[in-house]
Amino acid sequence: MPQSVITLNKAQIDKLKTDYQAFLIAPKSPYVAFAAKKNGTMITAYTSGKVMFQGNHAEKEASRWSTLAKPSVSKAGKKTSPKNSTLPKDFATWSVIGSDEVGNGSYFGPLVVCAVYADKAHLSPLQKLGVKDSKMLTDDQIRTLAPAIEKLVPFQKLIVSAEKYNQIQPRYNAVHMKVALHNQALYLLLQKIAPEVPEGILIDQFTPETKYRKYLQGEKHPVTDKLHFITKGEQYHLAVAAASILCRAQFLESLATGSQEVGITLPSGAGAKSDQVAARLLQKGGLDLLGKYAKLHFANTKKAQDLAKS
Ligand code: MG
C-alpha cells in the first residue's frame, strides 16, 4: 500500500486534526494523536510528530501539508541519517574502540586521553547506564558514570600531568602530543583486548587525518588500520562518548587533587580566573610551583606574572 510520512510539531498536528474533523475515527493506540479516514486514505498522526498517510492517495494527501512539514522521512518510512557523515552506515552498531581527550584547552590540570572498547554486546548496557555526550552531563553525573563504565568495558587511560606536559611541550606541539597519546592509548587497548579486534576505531577528530597520519610516522607502535575520524565523535559511537566521560572524570579528579595540594581551587578553562589563581601560586612558590599544575606555554602565564608583580 502506498504510504507517505511527514513530521510536524504539536500545533501543526492540531491544525491537521481540525482540517480532518469530519473524517476522524477512533485512535487505536495511546501514541496516536488522531486518526482519520478520508476517501480511502488513512491518516494517522502520532504523538511523536510523525504523520502517516496510507492508501492510493497517500502522497497527494501528504503533499497538501508539505509546506508545513520539515524535510523528513522517506516514503518507505526509513529514518534518514541525522547528518551526513563520512562514517560507514550503521557504524553506531559496530564493535568500536573510541578515543577522546580532555584538558587540552585548560590552563590548569592534566591532559587526559582515553580509549574505550565498546563491542556490540555492550552498546545497550552503556546506553542503559546513561552514557551520552559528556557535554550534556553534569560533573556529578560524570563522576558517577566513570567508575560504572570502567567496570563494564575495557579501557585505557593516559594522564599527562601539567608538570610532565611542560617537559614534553617544547619538543611536541599540542597536535603532535595528542596524536602520540591517542595512538599510545589505542595501541595499549588493542593489546588488552587481543585476540579480539574491533571492527573500527573512531578518534574524536582534533586534526585532519593527513596530519594525524604524518605525526604517526614518528611513533614506535603506530596504529594505522580501521581508523575513522570525525568531530563530535561522541555523537556517532558510544565508545567515544564513554571515552570522553572517563577523560572528563579523570580531569576533574586531578584538578580537585591539585586544588587540595595547593589549598587554592584550581579553575578549569583558561580565562581571567586562571590568571588570578596562577598569580597567587607564583607569589606562593614561583614558576616551580605553578609549573606543577599549569600548562606554562599558555598566554595565562605572562598575564599571571604581570598580576603577581602589581
Ligand atoms: Mg574531543
Side-chain angles (χ1 to χ4, degrees):
M1 181 163 49
Q3 70 173 44
S4 246
V5 181
I6 60 175
T7 305
L8 300 176
N9 65 31
K10 170 112 183 30
Q12 293 167 331
I13 285 179
D14 287 344
K15 195 171 167 187
L16 261 70
K17 188 176 179 181
T18 310
D19 185 83
Y20 289 119
Q21 199 64 48
F23 309 100
L24 293 181
I25 58 172
K28 283 186 185 136
S29 132
Y31 302 110
V32 171
F34 76 83
K37 194 165 186 175
K38 184 187 170 191
N39 303 332
T41 300
M42 266 296 299
I43 300 109
T44 313
Y46 293 90
T47 50
S48 67
K50 294 238 154 66
V51 185
M52 189 184 280
F53 301 82
Q54 293 168 294
N56 288 332
H57 307 294
E59 203 157 358
K60 193 176 158 216
E61 195 62 33
S63 70
R64 289 181 58 212
W65 308 105
S66 57
T67 52
L68 294 181
K70 295 180 227 163
S72 68
V73 180
S74 72
K75 272 185 224 163
K78 269 189 217 147
K79 267 192 216 160
T80 49
S81 69
K83 273 169 224 152
N84 290 328
S85 90
T86 54
L87 295 173
K89 231 183 148 209
D90 302 331
F91 187 83
T93 66
W94 288 19
S95 293
V96 164
I97 289 185
S99 68
D100 195 12
E101 84 284 330
V102 165
N104 185 59
S106 180
Y107 182 55
F108 287 107
L111 175 60
V112 186
V113 174
C114 289
V116 164
Y117 179 47
D119 68 0
K120 286 188 175 77
H122 284 98
L123 294 177
S124 162
L126 281 170
Q127 199 156 28
K128 277 186 196 132
L129 272 184
V131 170
K132 58 181 164 191
D133 186 350
S134 68
K135 287 169 205 83
M136 292 166 70
L137 297 166
T138 65
D139 287 354
D140 280 343
Q141 287 174 313
I142 282 168
R143 284 192 199 93
T144 314
L145 273 171
I149 293 168
E150 292 184 0
K151 253 187 227 165
L152 190 65
V153 287
F155 68 96
Q156 179 67 51
K157 196 155 55 175
L158 299 174
I159 308 160
V160 181
S161 69
E163 193 170 22
K164 186 86 187 285
Y165 182 100
N166 293 328
Q167 290 165 11
I168 305 171
Q169 190 273 325
R171 286 177 288 123
Y172 281 60
N173 66 51
V175 171
H176 191 176
M177 203 188 305
K178 281 194 272 184
V179 170
L181 290 166
H182 275 261
N183 180 68
Q184 181 71 357
L186 296 173
Y187 171 72
L188 293 173
L189 186 52
L190 281 168
Q191 286 193 315
K192 266 188 199 170
I193 66 169
E196 201 172 328
V197 285
E199 292 172 288
I201 295 175
L202 182 59
I203 296 168
D204 188 38
Q205 187 159 19
F206 53 88
T207 191
E209 179 171 355
T210 47
K211 212 164 185 188
Y212 184 95
R213 291 192 183 271
K214 190 193 112 196
Y215 283 127
L216 261 196
Q217 289 168 8
E219 290 303 304
K220 205 169 167 190
H221 303 289
V223 175
T224 56
D225 289 346
K226 301 180 179 177
L227 294 183
H228 300 270
F229 302 82
I230 198 158
T231 53
K232 301 200 171 95
E234 62 276 356
Q235 295 177 5
Y236 294 89
H237 201 283
L238 284 173
V240 178
S244 159
I245 290 169
L246 295 192
C247 285
R248 181 96 194 130
Q250 180 60 55
F251 177 81
L252 291 171
E253 195 187 311
S254 298
L255 215 52
T257 308
S259 301
Q260 236 167 17
E261 284 171 10
V262 293
I264 303 170
T265 301
L266 303 176
S268 173
K273 182 87 192 138
S274 299
D275 303 339
Q276 290 154 18
V277 171
R280 286 174 65 192
L281 289 188
L282 281 175
Q283 285 162 345
K284 208 174 157 182
L287 265 182
D288 280 353
L289 180 67
L290 182 60
K292 281 189 176 151
Y293 302 100
K295 304 181 186 83
L296 292 179
H297 73 106
F298 277 46
N300 301 78
T301 302
K302 176 81 178 65
K303 289 182 201 157
Q305 284 170 326
D306 293 344
L307 278 176
K309 274 182 229 153
S310 61

